[in-house]
Every structure is written in C-alpha cells, then in structure tokens.
Amino acid sequence: MDITTLKQTAQAMMVPPKGLLAADESTKTITKRFDALGIECTAESILAYRQMLFTTPGVEEFLSGIILFDETIRQSIDGKSVCQYLESKGIIPGIKVDKGVHDLANFPNEKVAEGLDGLRDRLTEYKGMGAKFAKFRATIQIGEGIPTDTCIEANSEVLARYAALCQEQDIVPVVEPEVLLDGDHTIEQCFEAQVRTLKMVFERIKAHKVALEGMVLKPSMVLSGKDCPTQADSKKVAQMSVDALKQSVPPEVGGIAFLSGGQSDESAVANLLEINKIGGPWPLTFSYSRGLQNAPMKIWAGKAENIKAAQEEFYKRCKAASLARSGKLS
Ligand code: 13P
C-alpha cells in the first residue's frame, strides 16, 4: 500500500469544484431505466449512451472522475480504451466492483452486498486497465424492526474488507453504505439509521486498518422516506446530514461524495448546496447517477439526432451540481 498515491488520488477525486459521475449501472439496472423510457437496450445502445455522456464537451470542468461498469471498461471510444479516453480529458476512471445486493439469510427484507470472492484478482485486472478507484455499494433498508444490527454489521464487514483489498493495490475505495429512501419513515428515523450504519462501518474500517486519508465515503443524505407524509426541507436535510457525518465519520477521511438516491434532480442539487453552506472537516461533493442522468437520458431517447441536446442538458446538470458543491447557487 502506497499511502502517498492513495492520498493523491483521493484528493484529485475531491478537487473543487468537481465531483463524480456514477455511470456504472449494472446491465439489469440500465435495462430497467431504458425500458421505462422505451429505449431499446443492447450492448451497442448502452455504449452509445455512455459515449454521449463521456464525450460531452467541457464536462471535465465539473467531473473529476467517472465510475464505470465492467462492460464499459472493456470498450473503446475514438480508438482509445475508455480509461485512456477519460484520462485524455483529465477525468479519473473508476470501476464498480460489487456484485449487487442479495437477501440476507434469516433476515426478511434485508440485504447483504456481495462481491468479495475473487476481488483481489479482479482489482489487479482493473488496475492494469487503468482504474484508479473502485466503488462497492451496500444497502440498508428502514422499516418495522429494521435495520437490524446483524444486517449493519454484515454489510460493514464486507465494505471494510473490500476497502482493504483496494488499498493493497493503491486503488482508492469508494465505500457506499446507502440508507435507502424507500418507505414512509421520518427524517429522524433516517438519521438514526445513518448514524448506526456509519459508526459500524468505521468501526470495521478501523479494525481492517484501512487508511482513512486514502478512502472516500459515498453516503446517502439524511432524508424523509419517499412515502413519509412530512417531507423535510433542504435546510433540515443538510443540517441532519452533516450532523450524522460529524457524529460518525473520522475527520481524516479523504472526502465525502453523496449519492442522489432517487431524489429529484432539483432536490439533489438544492440539498448539496445547503450541505456545503454548512461544510465539515471533509470536502463534500457529489457522486450522482440518476441526479445527473435522468434529464439527459430522457432527451437522448436512443436517437443519434438528439445527442447534442442531451449533451447540453448533461453539461447543465453537471454544472449545477458543481456550483452546489462549491456552495454557490446555480
Ligand atoms: P444514484 O445517484 O442514482 O443514487 O446512484 C449512485 C450510485 O452510484 C448508486 O450505487
């Protein structure tokens, strides 16, 4: 483990005024998103779509890195491997390495992240292809009697072991314990689940001797459940999100990059802005998938003639997130 390299990569990922694009939807997930818009989903159409995003002129002003899916990292753009293409634009390539979330045996409605098997070898291969950071996502569901300690502990252990394996190869781990938006829970219940989760994640991270400066945390924001009748406003979301992080995340952590988690594009930007007005001991940026892609994907709609308009929208979404990350209004 070379801590200098890890620190440099983490700092470059968090450099103002930039953030990350998560373009690492699994084939199942992107198929679902394309289907919802009536877009034909083939290996070619997925590549055409991601190529539209990655080749957007000027987007490197706002994006420090892009998280890729296994299929994409093996493809090429303009005669270059996707990693080489991104590097040529000054964008750091990253890779999703989890294998999704699966039912946790004996714990109804709870999931555990998988993907540790063979991970050391997969990381070696991805590093050879040019990946400088990796992402691993676990999910925590709020509901009647859940999350259980067992679920939080199981996922925290997986995330910590993944992070240690990444750092062994000088790959910055992006550790993503997502507390899901689904449900009618209050923002206070979300806060409680977030603090319990993050405390356990960092307990396991410490036990596995992960270098904090050489990792990035990708948390959800503290939000009212999607079906909660009372929806907290941006100021409350920001205060509770920052408070939860301050209670559970060591200040040495290289940076925080929030996921959007199914919020509207506008809320994802407005909440990030308020979060940055408060600030913390870490840089606080974005690592959005839906929050940056919803609008351009709709405009693109699988048609070559819509590429320019979709790129203009994607540029606008990235710029808005970048301004919010800098504490400025768009
Ligand atoms: P969303 O921003 O759509 O939540 O996705 C972020 C992500 O990378 C999920 O793993």
Side-chain angles (χ1 to χ4, degrees):
M1 172 166 95
D2 178 1
I3 183 68
T4 309
T5 303
L6 287 167
K7 242 171 109 169
Q8 276 170 357
T9 306
Q11 276 168 1
M13 288 163 70
M14 300 303 296
V15 75
K18 302 185 189 184
L20 304 170
L21 165 68
D24 61 334
E25 301 86 353
S26 64
T27 309
K28 196 171 134 206
T29 301
I30 195 131
T31 304
K32 213 165 62 189
R33 303 226 167 118
F34 277 17
D35 281 354
L37 297 171
I39 304 170
E40 196 199 0
C41 196
T42 60
E44 291 73 37
S45 67
I46 297 172
L47 178 62
Y49 170 68
R50 291 188 170 146
Q51 188 157 336
M52 178 279 287
L53 296 177
F54 302 168
T55 59
T56 296
V59 85
E60 61 276 14
E61 296 164 49
F62 314 120
L63 297 179
S64 58
I66 296 182
I67 314 173
L68 303 168
F69 184 58
D70 179 78
E71 182 176 276
T72 318
I73 200 171
R74 300 174 191 283
Q75 293 171 326
S76 343
I77 297 178
D78 289 352
K80 296 183 175 123
S81 76
V82 170
C83 286
Q84 283 168 347
Y85 176 79
L86 294 180
E87 292 270 15
S88 74
K89 283 188 91 161
I91 296 175
I92 309 168
I95 180 79
K96 167 192 175 81
V97 298
D98 64 74
K99 298 258 186 182
V101 297
H102 300 262
D103 290 345
L104 180 63
N106 296 330
F107 289 83
N109 303 320
E110 296 200 288
K111 305 274 185 193
V112 65
E114 292 186 5
L116 290 179
D117 285 359
L119 182 56
R120 181 177 273 126
D121 291 343
R122 287 195 288 131
L123 287 168
T124 308
E125 188 192 9
Y126 290 139
K127 186 179 174 173
M129 291 176 176
K132 301 279 191 296
F133 68 96
K135 180 194 104 171
F136 202 110
R137 172 177 179 256
T139 57
I140 301 293
Q141 173 71 48
I142 302 174
E144 197 58 43
I146 60 171
T148 60
D149 288 343
T150 306
C151 175
I152 292 176
E153 281 163 19
N155 282 296
S156 299
E157 179 68 12
V158 172
L159 287 170
R161 285 183 57 197
Y162 138 79
L165 280 166
C166 287
Q167 290 193 338
E168 184 181 74
Q169 305 206 40
D170 304 329
I171 292 175
V172 169
V174 175
V175 173
E176 181 178 4
E178 175 175 0
V179 176
L180 296 168
L181 188 62
D182 307 324
D184 60 2
H185 52 269
T186 61
I187 191 168
E188 286 77 17
Q189 286 171 297
C190 181
F191 178 88
E192 196 254 352
Q194 176 85 314
V195 170
R196 271 171 71 206
T197 301
L198 293 179
K199 282 196 166 155
M200 183 52 64
V201 166
F202 281 97
E203 187 189 310
R204 299 322 300 158
I205 290 253
K206 189 169 166 222
H208 284 273
K209 304 185 176 176
V210 174
L212 297 174
E213 303 86 341
M215 69 162 280
V216 168
L217 176 71
K218 176 163 173 166
S220 34
M221 294 176 189
V222 174
L223 299 163
S224 318
K226 202 167 60 187
D227 303 321
C228 178
T230 330
Q231 292 289 315
D233 64 13
S234 284
K235 284 207 181 338
K236 186 158 182 185
V237 166
Q239 193 60 56
M240 291 183 84
S241 297
V242 173
D243 286 350
L245 293 173
K246 284 187 177 159
Q247 284 188 28
S248 41
V249 181
E252 295 86 1
V253 166
I256 311 277
F258 288 98
L259 58 94
S260 58
Q263 305 176 64
S264 71
D265 300 359
E266 293 70 27
S267 299
V269 166
N271 291 340
L272 186 64
L273 171 66
E274 294 302 325
I275 285 171
N276 273 286
K277 284 190 192 164
I278 301 170
W282 333 261
L284 296 153
T285 191
F286 58 91
S287 176
Y288 294 166
S289 164
R290 284 164 288 179
L292 294 175
Q293 295 187 52
N294 282 336
M297 188 187 285
K298 225 183 207 162
I299 293 173
W300 173 69
K303 300 196 174 85
E305 63 265 31
N306 296 338
I307 289 177
K308 196 164 171 290
Q311 287 186 326
E312 281 168 9
E313 182 62 26
F314 181 55
Y315 181 90
K316 264 195 348 218
R317 300 309 316 161
C318 291
K319 185 174 180 183
S322 163
L323 284 168
R325 176 256 191 267
S326 309
K328 294 180 197 155
L329 270 178
S330 39

Coordinates of all heavy atoms in Angstrom, one line a residue, residues 22 24 135 137 176 218 259-261 287-290, ligand 1:
A22 N -21.5 8.7 -11.5 CA -21.6 7.2 -11.4 C -22.3 6.8 -12.7 O -23.5 7.0 -12.9 CB -22.4 6.8 -10.2
D24 N -22.1 3.5 -13.7 CA -21.8 2.1 -13.5 C -23.0 1.3 -13.3 O -22.9 0.2 -12.6 CB -20.8 2.0 -12.3 CG -21.5 2.6 -11.0 OD1 -22.4 3.4 -11.1 OD2 -21.1 2.1 -9.9
K135 N -15.6 1.3 -6.5 CA -16.8 1.5 -5.7 C -17.5 0.2 -5.3 O -17.5 -0.7 -6.1 CB -17.8 2.3 -6.5 CG -19.1 2.7 -5.8 CD -20.2 3.2 -6.7 CE -21.2 2.1 -6.9 NZ -22.4 2.6 -7.6
R137 N -21.1 -1.0 -3.3 CA -22.4 -0.5 -2.7 C -23.1 -1.5 -1.9 O -23.3 -2.6 -2.3 CB -23.3 0.0 -3.8 CG -24.7 0.4 -3.4 CD -25.5 0.9 -4.6 NE -26.8 1.3 -4.3 CZ -27.9 0.5 -4.6 NH1 -27.8 -0.6 -5.2 NH2 -29.1 1.0 -4.3
E176 N -19.6 2.7 -0.1 CA -21.0 3.2 -0.2 C -22.0 2.4 0.6 O -22.5 1.4 0.1 CB -21.4 3.2 -1.7 CG -22.8 3.7 -2.0 CD -23.2 3.7 -3.5 OE1 -22.4 3.3 -4.3 OE2 -24.3 4.2 -3.7
K218 N -19.1 7.3 0.3 CA -20.2 7.7 -0.5 C -21.5 7.4 0.2 O -22.1 6.3 0.1 CB -20.2 6.9 -1.8 CG -21.3 7.2 -2.8 CD -21.1 6.8 -4.2 CE -22.3 6.9 -5.0 NZ -22.1 6.8 -6.5
L259 N -24.4 10.1 -2.8 CA -25.2 9.6 -3.9 C -26.5 10.4 -4.0 O -26.9 11.1 -3.0 CB -25.5 8.1 -3.7 CG -26.2 7.7 -2.3 CD1 -27.7 7.6 -2.5 CD2 -25.6 6.4 -1.8
S260 N -27.2 10.3 -5.1 CA -28.5 11.0 -5.2 C -29.7 10.2 -4.7 O -30.7 10.8 -4.2 CB -28.7 11.6 -6.6 OG -28.8 10.6 -7.6
G261 N -29.6 8.9 -4.9 CA -30.6 8.0 -4.2 C -32.0 8.1 -4.6 O -32.9 7.7 -3.8
S287 N -21.5 12.2 -6.1 CA -21.2 11.1 -6.9 C -22.6 10.5 -7.4 O -23.0 9.5 -6.9 CB -20.4 10.0 -6.1 OG -20.2 8.9 -6.9
Y288 N -23.2 11.3 -8.3 CA -24.6 11.0 -8.7 C -24.7 10.2 -10.0 O -23.9 10.3 -10.9 CB -25.3 12.3 -9.0 CG -25.6 13.2 -7.8 CD1 -26.0 14.5 -8.0 CD2 -25.4 12.8 -6.5 CE1 -26.3 15.4 -7.0 CE2 -25.6 13.7 -5.4 CZ -26.1 15.0 -5.7 OH -26.3 15.9 -4.6
S289 N -25.6 9.3 -10.0 CA -26.0 8.6 -11.2 C -27.3 9.2 -11.7 O -27.3 10.1 -12.6 CB -26.2 7.1 -10.9 OG -26.9 6.5 -12.0
R290 N -28.4 8.9 -11.0 CA -29.7 9.4 -11.5 C -29.7 11.0 -11.5 O -30.3 11.6 -12.4 CB -30.9 8.9 -10.7 CG -31.2 7.4 -11.1 CD -32.0 6.8 -10.0 NE -31.3 6.4 -8.8 CZ -31.8 5.8 -7.7 NH1 -33.0 5.5 -7.7 NH2 -31.0 5.6 -6.7
Ligands
13P1 P1 -27.8 7.5 -7.5 O1 -27.1 8.8 -7.5 O2 -28.7 7.3 -8.6 O3 -28.3 7.1 -6.2 O4 -26.6 6.4 -7.8 C1 -25.4 6.5 -7.2 C2 -24.8 5.2 -7.2 O5 -23.7 5.1 -7.7 C3 -25.5 4.0 -6.7 O6 -24.6 3.0 -6.5

